[in-house]
Amino acid sequence: MGWFRAPLPAFHDPAPYSVSVGGPEGRWTGAGLVLAADTVLTCAHVVNDALGRHPFEVRTPGPGELHVAIRMPYGRFERCPARVAHWIPPRAKEGGPVPDSADEWLGDLAVLRVDAPPGSAPAPPHRSALRAGQEVRAWHASGHDATFADLKVKTDDGPIAYLDGEATGMAVGPGYSGGPLWCLHEKAVVGLVAAHFMPPRDATNGRPVPPDPQHLIRRSWGIPWQRVEAELRTAGVPDLTGPASAGPDDAAFGLLAETIGDALPTGSELGDVARRLATECGVGHGGDVTPPTVEEFAAFLLQHPRALPVLTGLLRKNHPEAAERILAAGQLSRVPRLLSPREHHQLHARLRDLDPGVLARFAEAVRAALPLAAAFPGGETLDALIDHLETLPGDGRSEDGEPRVPALLRVLEYVGALCAQEHRARLRIWSDGVAKRLGIPRSALAERRSDGLEWARALRSRSRVRVLVQVRAAEPGRHRLRIWCDEGTGPRQVSTDTSMSYTPQEAARELIQVLETLTPATEDAERPLVEVLVDDKSLNLPVDEWEAQAPGQIVPGVLGVEYPLVVHCPDLLRRHERFQPDWRRRWRLLDTGATLVVSGASLDPKTLYAELMDRLDAVRVSVDVPAEHRDRIVQICLAMGIPVVVWDRARDQDSHAVERLAGAATRELPDKVRSYRANTVLHPREYPGRPVLAWADADRTVPRLHLTEPQESA
């Protein structure tokens, strides 16, 4: 064993390798395995359960927070926030979704990034292949010492392994999934617990049937470690299946050893820096007397992915030339990452504080900041994107051989441009520190910072094609329309006869004919936005449900299903003109402002007024109150300049639609509401809501004529 070494695994007590995994409410749904100081492996269905989702849900979880409990000495537990970094959902053996009745499946892995205090997680255990005949042990998510279950591996020739429990002691059951299978003889983890076969129950009443010698007793199945490695490798999960190897044949090895020897020529200097490096990386070392050899030092830099960034930080002040040479040598190897452990932890702490709407646009910022970068893997999490960004080189705009701005720092400047001032400042302070360690001139980072701000300004000015339609009541069951188109240069009227009235079906047909004439600016342009201009008595008019099915037509045309459709009541803003500056200010904060939820049956309008005046950063209100209060609440919000208001015209309270749309980024709401309406047609029981989205864009003009003067020219 070399001078740099991880703490010896506690073979006499392997239980700390098993952690508890649960949701934000504190309920532990399964176990997990420590893979690194900040990384835990568990089953995907454990995560689904913790987040209140179906066990076989395949969609990658959002940034919703999980919790992991790490076993500490003396029976204590360290509870830490965690999130999904890599996602391998459950899948049927033949591919596709897993049926609810399935007993076996493939995939089902989730890598969690854990915000654990330094030194709280045990050193990763040894891992070995699972083999038939091994005696293994598993632990329950509760973490109690008495919950261990002893099992014997029966098969090892497939993607799953069958395990039989002993007739005495604990039996594997709910709460064991995702935990490690610890081989008692080899003192290594050989797989994960995945599921168990429960005793049979009576088909009529669901109660357990009397025991029978023919029943299957205490059989479980797990995922062999060799299968875990294959799944992680296929999913592109980096650096989690074991430490990298390094030696004299590595292209960077010789240059690193030479540079370390030149910069730290004495044993005391070498030992002092080596001990500080080991501490920062969370590993053990050979003591205070004998320093490592330069070869051991260089090998460690090529084994620990974050050791080289730590070393450059230690050398930057007193040995800047050595720091530059070490950075250059690191580019010859694929092992070193961009950030030190401390920088990596601080970055995620800052990102965790950002508005969910900004985080939802992280991938968009990546595409804008790195337009020439290779394609990113689809469906990745925020952690996976950051992991990938760390491996990308800097951009090509540098002069006189100056260090180039890394891809990750450039992306974060674009993300920061979307943030509120306070969060932007914190991201910039973090970026300044990393850039200083890397020797990047402030002018280079300032240029990328300017690029990000320019992109954010262009983003705010960029808008989709829209069709505006004023809808006014005529005789019962009929409506009068006035229609404008706006391709970005302002509304132009396309309807001239304002005396004609239409049934809902005729009105939908008229609108779709106008929409079909619009030519998208680019092939990937968004579908036009339909903006319905109404008075304050018609906010719940079901224009989105109007269908343009005509005789002889094959395809129906439901307006709110085909097109993102919003309502707008300019007359409310006009009648309460003092709130128009607030409206424009709130709109500018659309990507970073706050969301308020109004619920409860007894909300006093004066209380709402005071809350909206107190929260001038609020840009969006979700209204989920009984029908007798709802319209008044909505009108107050719109009159006071809230640009985005969501409610359900079909429900009194506890709206599925309002709850479902709560997690959507504000700017994406028109398309998310359209998608919900499509699902209302497709799955009416699962999507019972009738969502209404009021959308008042302060950057786009509306015709001068709205509701009260039907003959005035627009």
Side-chain angles (χ1 to χ4, degrees), residues 364-403:
E364 183 181 354
V366 171
R367 291 190 294 270
L370 308 172
L372 302 180
F376 290 85
E380 290 285 15
T381 63
L382 177 62
D383 283 70
L385 270 176
I386 292 175
D387 287 344
H388 184 66
L389 288 170
E390 282 196 79
T391 67
L392 299 182
D395 58 48
R397 295 162 59 186
S398 63
E399 299 177 359
D400 301 326
E402 293 177 338

Side-chain angles (χ1 to χ4, degrees), residues 124-145:
H126 295 310
R127 280 91 80 182
S128 182
L130 180 142
R131 295 286 179 261
Q134 288 172 329
E135 294 181 347
V136 296
R137 178 166 290 180
W139 291 267
H140 188 265
S142 65
H144 298 309
D145 292 337

Side-chain angles (χ1 to χ4, degrees), residues 78-101:
E78 183 74 43
R79 184 185 173 96
C80 310
R83 60 200 173 275
V84 175
H86 300 276
W87 182 250
I88 304 173
R91 63 182 185 275
K93 285 187 173 182
E94 62 277 5
V98 181
D100 289 347
S101 59

Side-chain angles (χ1 to χ4, degrees), residues 196-236:
H196 56 281
F197 297 94
M198 293 297 293
R201 292 179 175 271
D202 190 290
T204 58
N205 56 30
R207 297 175 181 173
V209 300
D212 187 288
Q214 294 300 316
H215 288 165
L216 184 65
I217 300 174
R218 293 199 172 188
R219 172 155 292 176
S220 306
W221 64 268
I223 309 174
W225 187 254
Q226 53 268 38
R227 181 69 182 188
V228 171
E229 287 186 327
E231 293 276 7
L232 296 180
R233 195 178 303 114
T234 301

Side-chain angles (χ1 to χ4, degrees), residues 8 12 53 59 110 116 133 194 213 331 392 405 436 488 515 623 639 660:
L8 288 175
H12 63 283
R53 310 198 310 171
R59 292 175 301 151
Q331 296 176 3
L392 299 182
V405 179
K436 183 177 180 181
L515 288 159
V623 180
R660 184 85 178 191

Side-chain angles (χ1 to χ4, degrees), residues 38 83 113 115-116 118 277 279-281 304-316 327 336-352 383 386-387 390 406 408-409 412 426-440:
D38 63 347
R83 60 200 173 275
R113 194 60 45 80
D115 295 323
L277 175 63
T279 300
E280 288 283 331
C281 292
H304 193 294
R306 303 200 180 277
L308 191 143
V310 173
L311 180 60
T312 57
L314 295 175
L315 297 180
R316 171 59 63 185
L327 286 170
R337 308 305 289 269
L338 175 70
L339 305 179
S340 70
R342 188 185 304 274
E343 291 166 345
H344 189 259
H345 178 79
Q346 290 173 343
L347 171 60
H348 281 285
R350 281 158 176 74
L351 292 177
R352 214 167 42 245
D383 283 70
I386 292 175
D387 287 344
E390 282 196 79
L408 177 60
L409 294 194
L412 291 174
R426 290 177 180 174
L427 275 178
R428 285 181 171 180
I429 291 172
W430 179 89
S431 294
D432 288 342
V434 177
K436 183 177 180 181
R437 174 180 64 77
L438 295 173
I440 297 171

